[in-house]
Amino acid sequence: MSPKKAKKKAEGASSNVFSMFEQSQIQEFKEAFTIMDQNRDGFITKEDLRDTFAALGRLNVKSEELEDMVNEAPGAINFTVFLTMFGEKLKGSDPEETIMNAFKIFDPDAIGHINSDYIKTMLMTKADRFSEQEIQQMFEAFPPDVSGNLDYKNLCYVITHGEEKDQD
């Protein structure tokens, strides 16, 4: 394929991917991309991913794991490719349902909310433990109600759609 045709094809793909997201979502993806592009060259490389993991406290990432991540892209990972990859990951999946199912583990009676002290304890003591600061950020962004309960159904909606839905 000639460079002009390749460029035209890439431009066509980029316009489609940008239409998949709202402007606020694109801005959030751009911020994430900028954080991951550790050396600020406009591309995410294996080294950028290693540095990003290190900044998040994970120092023992295997080179093969990083290579697999980079190889998911059809070429060099610039912002358009990054956005396209996220679009493909989100397309056809139901992240809201997945997140909802994770919260339901803490709500065996299916009442739709979880006591904030209980979820805080679970998040700080199990698996990939949250820090006190991360818990505070979560509760600042989505505060518990006056009874101290976290409405996880609405939280899942906010996580996946970006705004609170109207309460019934």
Side-chain angles (χ1 to χ4, degrees):
M1 188 182 304
S2 74
K4 282 187 179 181
K5 284 184 180 176
K7 185 177 180 187
K8 193 135 184 111
K9 186 174 182 181
E11 286 172 357
S14 68
S15 65
N16 291 340
V17 72
F18 284 96
S19 67
M20 288 177 58
F21 300 103
E22 294 176 18
Q23 189 60 42
S24 61
Q25 292 173 305
I26 293 170
Q27 184 59 38
E28 288 174 12
F29 282 124
K30 183 66 174 171
E31 289 170 17
F33 179 86
T34 301
I35 290 168
M36 294 174 72
D37 182 15
Q38 295 279 311
N39 65 4
R40 304 292 185 255
D41 67 352
F43 296 92
I44 295 176
T45 63
K46 191 166 102 172
E47 291 72 29
D48 289 325
L49 290 176
R50 184 180 309 283
D51 293 344
T52 300
F53 276 114
L56 295 171
R58 186 170 168 209
L59 304 174
N60 58 348
V61 183
K62 294 179 181 171
S63 187
E64 299 81 34
E65 188 177 355
L66 297 171
E67 194 70 40
D68 288 345
M69 289 179 196
V70 171
N71 287 338
E72 284 186 42
I77 306 173
N78 62 18
F79 180 64
T80 303
V81 171
F82 179 81
L83 194 61
T84 301
M85 291 172 70
F86 268 96
E88 289 171 357
K89 293 278 185 197
L90 296 174
K91 184 179 170 184
S93 65
D94 192 353
E96 186 174 6
E97 182 180 345
T98 302
I99 296 167
M100 186 79 75
N101 287 338
F103 276 107
K104 285 180 180 177
I105 292 169
F106 301 107
D107 183 22
D109 298 327
I111 55 178
H113 62 267
I114 305 168
N115 179 275
S116 58
D117 291 334
Y118 175 67
I119 194 67
K120 176 181 177 180
T121 300
M122 291 295 105
L123 291 173
M124 292 181 75
T125 60
K126 308 293 181 200
D128 291 336
R129 296 181 175 125
F130 279 45
S131 68
E132 182 71 37
Q133 182 182 8
E134 290 169 322
I135 296 293
Q136 284 307 115
Q137 288 173 341
M138 179 181 77
F139 287 149
E140 284 172 17
F142 206 86
D145 65 17
V146 293
S147 302
N149 294 316
L150 181 68
D151 176 356
Y152 69 85
K153 289 181 179 181
N154 208 18
L155 175 59
C156 290
Y157 185 89
V158 170
I159 290 170
T160 57
H161 295 88
E163 58 186 54
E164 288 189 48
K165 61 182 175 181
D166 295 331
Q167 296 295 318
D168 297 320

